[in-house]
């Protein structure tokens, strides 16, 4: 494969060398020279590396000199066309040809009366290629006076406003005029050049005449492109354009095109082009929107917005223009409100999936918020700053003004409701946090209080049992104790004296209190989950304020459940069955450390350690220990599996080792060689866009997995290789 590519490259080089020699030896035969130039052009178009090699062997300089010195017009046209095509294909060739000498030669071709229309077209084409995306070319076209000649051609090429493109001569003149418009566009923009914009603004009166006298796509598109790019981001040029009546002319053209848009789709498309130009005029000067109110441009734009043939990009341009029109002009705001513009903006905001279009609609709604509030206050109190008499005339003419008020109130109410919902979400979140914290404090205080009461009652219960046991005969102590346990009061006393920790969970009133606390806490958790879901759905409808961010990867909150509460039923059954048997002597014989250490100050930590350290556990405490161990093991498993929370250092090391062995190994990307098509894409992108690798990557269909760095490395390797291969 590599040998075939090398063979093709070698053949290409051989062909270019032979063609260059043939071009040199056919100076007396203009037809042969023209054919050779056309062949060179086709080879350079097929292979992007051909232009680089042709530049290295001196072919570009020879063709440039040939275009200057040849006496035959056809040779000059072919030479200029070949130079422009090679420079358009390769950025290095563009930089090589971008000299003041070539611009001076091109200026002479354009200003010479003996030059035919095709020669001038080829000269304009070369200027267009050299200036495009090249600040050096923009500077040279101004310093050599070439831009002055271009402006003169813009004025004089077409003498009549009625274009008969079926005529061959008129069609050639129109092509030259259109090429001049495109060349002037690249002279002032991309990159933006303020000095060239100042020079080109002298053409605005002529552009206005063309817009007024010839409303056709062939004229409106190039003229609007020239005006829009010349105005872009230049406040001085924008003011000058408005001073010569340019904005009035655009408004008149837009009104006429909007009225024709109901008949033809092309008129609607042209109206969008004019709308973009209007937006460029007022984007940096919102106060000039007052001029548009004289022609009721806002109502025309709203009608144009409802046209079925427009796509989302064109609708975005219209809505953005509406935003700039209503930004600092109450007349346009009132016009938007009067023509049901606010419901259209809300509809666009809710139905469209385009982020840019949603931002533009929000911009319009925000601009009209103040005028909506004024209309909702009172008819008598509302007045424009400078047009109170005009408002009174409007109120007299319109009979259904109350309907507009109602719509204004509804829209304002909806806007305020959306803002109020956002504020209520924040307040509810803060209240919920306070409720949860207070609930936790109440649960802890209740448990402490119950535990303290049970410890305080312990010695009294022991004294009662001792006093009762002294009164009974020793030989009948077992049977009397069993009979006495049938009494509820004695049962509670015995449970308290046996285990104070267990006793605090046996009282019926205390069990109810703890159950209510736990149930209310779990209920609050459920309400919090529902509230967060509702807040996410409500935040999507928010208009003027950004939605409250939803916290991702929120830790799953487990309900607070005490291990003793989980096994309360088991403990009850075990204790009752234990007391109901006739083995009380056996219980006294195998009393564990938990039964003996009743008078000590116990808590959840030292009591659990005390039970685990005891080698002989009674049945009751054995059940408690098993339930506690079971609960801790299940809790540990759930936490480790779900949240990867590490409870012990040993487990942490195991998990870290597993993660590094399983998912920590980084895989290298599979290497994919560049195909011939990709290499062509790469050179075409560099020629058109320069060293903007991301832009090139997005503009051409490269293989999946390609990155901007890959394109840069490949391009540098190719260019270095071509330099080393040169003889």
């Amino acid at each position: 494969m590599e040998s075939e590519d090398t063979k093709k490259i070698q053949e290409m080089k051989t062909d270019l060398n032979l063609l260059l020699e043939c071009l040199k030896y056919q100076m007396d035969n203009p037809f042969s020279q023209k054919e050779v130039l056309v062949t060179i052009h086709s080879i350079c178009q097929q292979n992007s590396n051909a232009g680089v090699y042709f530049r290295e062997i001196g072919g570009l300089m020879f063709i440039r000199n040939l275009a200057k010195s040849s006496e035959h017009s056809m040779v000059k046209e072919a030479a200029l066309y070949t130079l422009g095509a090679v420079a358009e294909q390769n950025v290095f060739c563009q930089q090589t040809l971008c000299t003041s000498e070539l611009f001076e030669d091109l200026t002479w071709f354009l200003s010479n009366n003996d030059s035919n229309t095709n020669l001038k077209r080829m000269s304009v084409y070369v200027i267009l290629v050299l200036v495009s995306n090249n600040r050096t070319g923009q500077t040279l076209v101004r310093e050599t006076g070439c831009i002055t000649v271009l402006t003169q051609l813009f004025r004089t090429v077409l003498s009549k406003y009625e274009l008969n493109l079926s005529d061959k001569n008129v069609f050639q003149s129109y092509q030259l005029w259109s090429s001049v418009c495109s060349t002037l566009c690249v002279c002032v923009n991309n990159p933006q050049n303020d000095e060239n914009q100042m020079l080109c603004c002298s053409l605005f009166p002529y552009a206005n005449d063309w817009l007024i006298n010839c409303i056709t796509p062939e004229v409106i598109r190039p003229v609007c492109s020239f005006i829009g790019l010349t105005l872009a981001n230049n406040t001085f040029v924008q003011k000058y354009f408005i001073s010569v009546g340019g904005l009035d002319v655009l408004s008149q053209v837009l009104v006429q095109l909007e009225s024709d848009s109901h008949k033809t789709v092309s008129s609607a498309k042209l109206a969008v082009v004019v709308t973009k130009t209007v937006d460029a005029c007022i984007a940096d000067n919102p106060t000039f929107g007052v001029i548009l109110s004289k022609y009721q441009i806002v109502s025309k734009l709203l009608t144009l917005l409802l046209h079925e043939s427009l796509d989302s990009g064109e609708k975005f341009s219209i809505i953005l223009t509406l935003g700039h029109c209503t930004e600092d002009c109450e007349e346009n705001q009132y016009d938007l409100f009067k023509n049901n513009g606010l419901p259209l903006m809300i509809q666009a905001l809710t139905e469209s999936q385009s982020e840019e279009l949603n931002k533009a609609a929000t911009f319009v709604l925000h601009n009209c918020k103040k005028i909506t509030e004024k209309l909702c206050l009172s008819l008598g109190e509302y007045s424009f700053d400078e047009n109170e008499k005009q408002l009174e005339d409007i109120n007299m003419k319109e009979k259904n003004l109350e309907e507009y008020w109602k719509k204004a109130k509804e829209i304002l109410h909806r806007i305020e409701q959306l803002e109020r919902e956002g504020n209520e979400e924040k307040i509810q979140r803060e209240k919920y946090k306070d409720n949860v914290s207070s609930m936790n404090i109440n649960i802890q205080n209740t448990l402490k209080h119950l535990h303290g009461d049970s410890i305080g009652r312990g010695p009294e219960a022991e004294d009662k049992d001792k006093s009762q046991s002294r009164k009974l005969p020793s030989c009948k102590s077992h049977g009397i104790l069993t009979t006495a346990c049938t009494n509820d009061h004695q049962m509670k006393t015995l449970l308290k004296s046996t285990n104070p920790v267990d006793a605090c969970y046996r009282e019926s009133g205390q069990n109810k209190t703890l159950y209510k606390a736990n149930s209310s806490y779990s209920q609050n958790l459920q309400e919090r989950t529902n509230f967060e879901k509702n807040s996410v759905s409500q935040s999507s409808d928010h208009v003027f304020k950004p939605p409250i961010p939803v916290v991702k990867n929120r830790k799953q909150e487990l309900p607070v459940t005490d291990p003793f509460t989980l096994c309360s039923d088991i403990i009850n059954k075990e204790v009752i069955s234990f007391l109901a048997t006739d083995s009380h002597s056996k219980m006294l014989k195998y009393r564990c450390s938990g039964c003996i250490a009743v008078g000590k100050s116990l808590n959840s930590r030292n009591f659990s350690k005390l039970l685990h350290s005891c080698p002989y556990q009674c049945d009751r405490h054995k059940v408690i220990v098993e339930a506690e161990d079971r609960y801790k093991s299940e809790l540990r498993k759930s936490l480790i599996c779900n949240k990867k929370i590490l409870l012990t250092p040993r487990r942490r090391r195991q998990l870290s080792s597993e993660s590094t062995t399983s998912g920590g190994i980084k895989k290298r990307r599979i290497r994919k060689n560049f195909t011939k098509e990709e290499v062509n894409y790469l050179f075409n992108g560099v020629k058109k866009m320069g060293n903007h690798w991301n832009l090139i990557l997005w503009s051409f269909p490269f293989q999946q997995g390609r990155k901007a760095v890959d394109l840069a490395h490949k391009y540098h390797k190719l260019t270095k290789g071509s330099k080393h291969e040169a003889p």
Side-chain angles (χ1 to χ4, degrees):
M1 186 67 183
E2 294 181 357
S3 60
E4 293 180 0
D5 295 338
T6 305
K7 184 177 179 181
K8 290 181 180 180
I9 294 173
Q10 191 63 36
E11 290 177 355
M12 177 267 296
K13 293 181 178 180
T14 303
D15 292 340
L16 289 178
N17 287 322
L18 292 176
L19 288 171
L20 182 59
E21 294 296 327
C22 181
L23 193 64
K24 293 178 180 179
Y25 288 102
Q26 295 290 335
M27 299 298 293
D28 297 333
N29 192 345
F31 294 98
S32 299
Q33 285 185 329
K34 181 179 179 180
E35 292 179 358
V36 171
L37 290 171
V38 172
T39 306
I40 294 173
H41 167 263
S42 62
I43 293 175
C44 293
Q45 289 292 322
Q46 294 175 2
N47 193 337
S48 58
N49 294 325
V52 178
Y53 178 74
F54 193 66
R55 174 180 64 89
E56 293 175 353
I57 63 177
L60 286 181
M61 293 296 104
F62 180 81
I63 293 178
R64 192 194 74 175
N65 295 329
L66 180 64
K68 181 180 179 180
S69 60
S70 178
E71 298 179 355
H72 304 282
S73 178
M74 66 172 66
V75 176
K76 291 182 178 180
E77 295 171 12
L80 291 176
Y81 182 69
T82 304
L83 289 177
V86 174
E88 187 178 5
Q89 192 79 8
N90 189 274
V91 66
F92 297 108
C93 297
Q94 180 193 37
Q95 297 296 331
T96 302
L97 294 174
C98 192
T99 59
S100 59
E101 291 80 5
L102 181 58
F103 276 101
E104 291 175 356
D105 295 338
L106 296 173
T107 303
W108 186 81
F109 290 149
L110 293 175
S111 59
N112 188 7
N113 295 328
D114 296 334
S115 300
N116 57 25
T117 305
N118 287 332
L119 180 59
K120 291 181 179 180
R121 279 187 59 201
M122 294 302 105
S123 302
V124 173
Y125 170 63
V126 175
I127 296 172
L128 173 66
V129 172
L130 296 179
V131 176
S132 180
N133 299 319
N134 188 3
R135 186 172 293 277
T136 304
Q138 291 178 344
T139 304
L140 290 175
V141 78
R142 182 182 67 254
E143 292 178 350
T144 57
C146 187
I147 193 171
T148 305
V149 178
L150 291 174
T151 56
Q152 185 67 25
L153 289 175
F154 182 87
R155 298 187 188 99
T156 60
V157 168
L158 293 178
S159 58
K160 296 181 180 181
Y161 296 117
E162 295 180 0
L163 296 178
N164 184 14
L165 298 181
S166 60
D167 188 357
K168 183 178 179 181
N169 295 327
V170 175
F171 182 70
Q172 290 181 351
S173 299
Y174 169 75
Q175 287 183 326
L176 175 59
W177 180 81
S178 178
S179 301
V180 170
C181 291
S182 301
T183 306
L184 289 174
C185 289
V186 298
C187 288
V188 299
N189 204 288
N190 197 18
Q192 180 181 348
N193 194 300
D194 296 337
E195 296 178 356
N196 290 348
Q197 285 179 332
M198 297 289 290
L199 291 174
C200 291
C201 69
S202 61
L203 297 176
F204 285 156
Y206 299 93
N208 293 337
D209 294 337
W210 275 109
L211 291 175
I212 293 174
N213 296 304
C214 190
I215 304 179
T216 59
E218 293 80 9
V219 173
I220 289 180
R221 290 185 183 276
V223 171
C224 286
S225 298
F226 167 70
I227 294 174
L229 293 176
T230 307
L231 291 171
N233 302 320
N234 195 323
T235 307
F236 179 82
V237 178
Q238 291 172 3
K239 292 180 180 179
Y240 176 75
F241 179 73
I242 294 172
S243 66
V244 297
L247 192 56
D248 294 276
V249 172
L250 289 175
S251 301
Q252 295 173 10
V253 174
L254 181 58
V255 170
Q256 184 173 350
L257 289 174
E258 189 277 328
S259 62
D260 296 338
S261 64
H262 305 285
K263 302 176 183 178
T264 58
V265 178
S266 60
S267 297
K269 300 291 184 180
L270 285 179
V272 175
V273 174
V274 178
T275 301
K276 294 179 181 179
T277 309
V278 171
D279 185 52
C281 295
I282 64 174
D284 299 324
N285 296 286
T287 55
F288 292 132
V290 181
I291 300 175
L292 302 177
S293 63
K294 297 187 299 183
Y295 303 94
Q296 297 180 351
I297 295 298
V298 172
S299 61
K300 303 299 180 183
L301 292 177
L302 291 174
T303 306
L304 185 63
L305 186 63
L306 298 175
H307 206 279
E308 297 178 354
S309 64
L310 302 183
D311 55 16
S312 60
E314 293 169 337
K315 290 182 179 180
F316 164 73
S317 301
I318 295 173
I319 295 176
L320 184 61
T321 306
L322 285 172
H324 289 138
C325 289
T326 57
E327 185 175 1
D328 197 15
C329 181
E330 288 188 348
E331 288 85 348
N332 289 331
Q333 293 174 8
Y334 179 73
D335 198 11
L336 179 75
F337 173 75
K338 183 178 65 175
N339 292 278
N340 294 328
L342 296 183
L344 286 178
M345 295 300 104
I346 295 175
Q347 182 181 359
L349 189 66
T350 55
E351 294 180 356
S352 176
Q353 297 179 354
S354 175
E355 184 178 357
E356 293 182 350
L357 194 146
N358 291 339
K359 289 181 179 179
T362 305
F363 178 45
V364 177
L365 291 173
H366 182 72
N367 292 338
C368 298
K369 184 178 179 181
K370 293 182 180 180
I371 194 69
T372 308
E373 293 175 352
K374 287 184 178 181
L375 288 175
C376 291
L377 290 176
S378 174
L379 175 63
E381 295 177 359
Y382 175 77
S383 63
F384 290 122
D385 293 336
E386 298 179 356
N387 298 322
E388 295 181 0
K389 295 182 180 180
Q390 182 181 359
L391 179 63
E392 292 177 0
D393 296 336
I394 293 173
N395 293 332
M396 293 296 294
K397 292 180 181 180
E398 297 183 359
K399 299 178 180 180
N400 298 326
L401 191 59
E402 294 181 358
E403 296 180 1
Y404 298 141
W405 286 13
K406 293 179 181 179
K407 293 177 183 178
K409 290 180 180 180
E410 292 176 0
I411 295 171
L412 181 62
H413 177 70
R414 184 171 180 180
I415 294 170
E416 292 177 351
Q417 183 180 1
L418 292 173
E419 293 181 348
R420 198 183 304 115
E421 287 175 359
N423 296 329
E424 288 178 357
E425 289 176 4
K426 294 181 180 179
I427 296 172
Q428 289 178 2
R429 287 178 181 272
E430 294 176 357
K431 287 183 179 180
Y432 173 74
K433 291 180 181 180
D434 297 336
N435 292 335
V436 172
S437 60
S438 62
M439 182 65 67
N440 291 333
I441 295 172
N442 292 333
I443 292 173
Q444 294 177 0
N445 294 334
T446 303
L447 293 176
K448 290 180 180 179
H449 179 67
L450 295 175
H451 182 65
D453 292 343
S454 64
I455 293 175
R457 294 175 185 175
E460 295 178 0
E462 278 190 280
D463 294 338
K464 282 186 177 182
D465 292 338
K466 288 180 181 179
S467 62
Q468 289 179 0
S469 63
R470 288 174 183 173
K471 294 179 181 180
L472 295 174
S474 59
C475 61
K476 298 180 180 180
S477 61
H478 177 69
I480 294 172
L481 182 60
T482 306
T483 305
C485 287
T486 59
N487 192 318
D488 294 338
H489 178 70
Q490 292 178 355
M491 179 70 72
K492 293 179 181 180
T493 305
L494 182 60
L495 287 173
K496 291 177 184 179
S497 62
T498 303
N499 187 5
V501 178
D502 189 20
C504 70
Y505 292 97
R506 297 284 74 81
E507 292 291 331
S508 60
Q510 296 168 354
N511 282 334
K512 290 180 180 178
T513 304
L514 185 60
Y515 176 76
K516 288 180 180 179
N518 290 328
S519 63
S520 63
Y521 184 80
S522 61
Q523 185 177 2
N524 286 333
L525 286 174
Q526 184 67 23
E527 291 176 0
R528 178 180 181 182
T529 306
N530 295 331
F531 170 73
E532 289 178 354
K533 292 179 180 178
N534 294 330
S535 65
V536 174
S537 64
Q538 291 174 1
S539 63
S540 63
D541 295 333
H542 209 282
V543 179
F544 294 108
K545 292 187 178 180
I548 298 175
V550 180
V551 181
K552 297 182 179 179
N553 299 329
R554 184 186 296 277
K555 293 184 179 179
Q556 183 180 0
E557 299 184 7
L558 298 174
V560 180
T561 306
D562 193 81
F564 297 111
T565 305
L566 292 175
C567 59
S568 59
D569 296 335
I570 301 174
I571 296 173
N572 281 334
K573 292 179 181 180
E574 293 293 334
V575 173
I576 292 172
S577 63
F578 180 80
L579 294 176
T581 58
D582 294 333
S583 59
H584 182 64
S585 60
K586 185 177 181 180
M587 178 189 70
L588 296 175
K589 183 177 179 180
Y590 294 100
R591 294 185 68 188
C592 64
S593 300
C595 300
I596 297 173
V598 175
K600 298 180 180 180
S601 59
L602 299 175
N603 53 35
S604 60
R605 293 188 177 182
N606 55 21
F607 186 70
S608 178
K609 290 181 180 180
L610 183 66
L611 292 179
H612 281 85
S613 63
C614 179
Y616 303 101
Q617 297 175 351
C618 64
D619 294 338
R620 288 172 295 166
H621 291 111
K622 187 175 182 181
V623 171
I624 293 173
V625 171
E626 291 176 354
E628 182 182 358
D629 294 338
R630 194 183 310 113
Y631 170 76
K632 288 183 178 180
S633 62
E634 292 176 356
L635 181 62
R636 187 181 295 108
K637 290 179 181 178
S638 64
L639 290 175
I640 292 176
C641 296
N642 296 333
K643 300 300 177 183
K644 300 298 181 183
I645 297 176
L646 306 175
L647 300 179
T648 60
R650 179 178 298 176
R651 184 63 180 169
R652 184 184 297 113
R653 287 192 293 271
Q654 292 176 358
L655 286 179
S656 62
S657 61
E658 291 176 0
S659 64
T660 53
T661 55
S662 63
I665 300 175
K666 295 183 178 178
K667 295 182 180 180
R668 295 188 61 182
R669 289 191 299 159
I670 299 175
R671 180 172 180 177
K672 297 180 181 179
N673 293 328
F674 276 74
T675 62
K676 183 179 179 180
E677 290 77 7
E678 286 185 304
V679 174
N680 292 332
Y681 295 152
L682 181 59
F683 279 102
N684 288 335
V686 172
K687 179 193 64 175
K688 295 179 180 180
M689 307 169 190
N691 295 334
H692 300 287
W693 307 113
N694 278 325
L695 189 59
I696 296 172
L697 181 64
W698 298 335
S699 302
F700 295 93
F702 288 95
Q703 296 186 38
Q704 186 176 5
R706 294 286 186 223
K707 297 182 179 179
V709 179
D710 301 336
L711 302 184
H713 289 171
K714 183 65 176 177
Y715 182 76
H716 290 307
K717 288 182 180 179
L718 291 174
T719 53
K720 288 182 180 179
S722 61
K723 290 180 180 179
H724 291 304
E725 291 176 3

